Amino acid sequence: MLKQKLLLSLSPLLLLSASAIADTNWVGGVDHLGLTVSNLDASKAFFTDVLGFKTLGNDPAYPAYFLSNNKITITLWRVKNDAKRVEFNRAENVGLHHLALSVESIKKLSELHEHLEMQNNIIIEFAPENLGKGPTQHMMIREPSGNRIEFIARGN
């Protein structure tokens, strides 16, 4: 009972705080996403040759590639010391759990799955399936360096 009274008394303050934050408009969206990769060339080839991203530029000294599909920009940079690299474990590490990329339709998601099945350097964690009860569908893969990428088609 005390917990319920406390929550009821705090609710207006929480709503006020949330609306104050929402009104500040500090950020507008994702500008770009940076991924550390173990195999820079293979990961770049996955995004460009398999997914159709274009190379905006590169920095051989870093080394890094900057890629875009006109909707999202992705920076790929090679891990500095491959011998000390630690593979990401989504259940035990803090960090990017996965990158989710939108696909325009469930039909296109199915076609993408068929296209990805023909690649020899990625792992398909699961094929397109309903997200919850649907109609949205998604699938999850690991690109050549092991980063998890979800492809999601919002069903109507």
Side-chain angles (χ1 to χ4, degrees):
M1 185 68 165
L2 180 60
K3 191 184 242 182
Q4 185 178 14
K5 285 183 182 181
L6 181 60
L7 282 174
L8 287 174
S9 65
L10 290 176
S11 292
L13 293 174
L14 294 173
L15 288 173
L16 179 61
S17 297
S19 65
I21 291 169
D23 288 342
T24 59
N25 291 320
W26 291 107
V27 297
V30 175
D31 179 76
H32 71 278
L33 180 79
L35 293 175
T36 302
V37 297
S38 58
N39 188 328
L40 185 60
D41 292 329
S43 292
K44 175 194 174 274
F46 170 74
F47 280 96
T48 57
D49 299 346
V50 177
L51 296 183
F53 280 65
K54 302 294 182 221
T55 303
L56 300 176
N58 70 317
D59 182 352
Y62 196 50
Y65 283 105
F66 312 102
L67 313 171
S68 179
N69 69 353
N70 295 325
K71 294 184 181 183
I72 186 171
T73 299
I74 296 177
T75 300
L76 302 176
W77 65 86
R78 190 180 68 218
V79 65
K80 288 193 184 284
N81 186 338
D82 198 50
K84 291 185 176 182
R85 144 178 128 214
V86 177
E87 297 296 327
F88 180 73
N89 179 322
R90 67 182 174 89
E92 296 177 5
N93 299 116
V94 174
L96 180 69
H97 185 273
H98 67 277
L99 165 63
L101 298 174
S102 62
V103 178
E104 71 181 48
S105 69
I106 290 173
K107 180 180 184 289
K108 285 280 192 185
L109 182 65
S110 179
E111 291 170 0
L112 176 60
H113 175 252
E114 290 174 13
H115 178 62
L116 293 174
E117 281 186 313
M118 294 186 293
Q119 309 306 313
N120 62 7
N121 60 351
I122 64 164
I123 296 169
I124 297 176
E125 286 190 25
F126 59 86
E129 63 182 29
N130 281 348
L131 182 61
K133 295 180 180 179
T136 297
Q137 289 192 356
H138 67 147
M139 70 176 175
M140 189 77 72
I141 68 146
R142 288 191 182 259
E143 56 86 39
S145 290
N147 289 297
R148 296 176 82 228
I149 302 177
E150 178 183 27
F151 296 96
I152 187 164
R154 303 277 175 193
N156 296 337

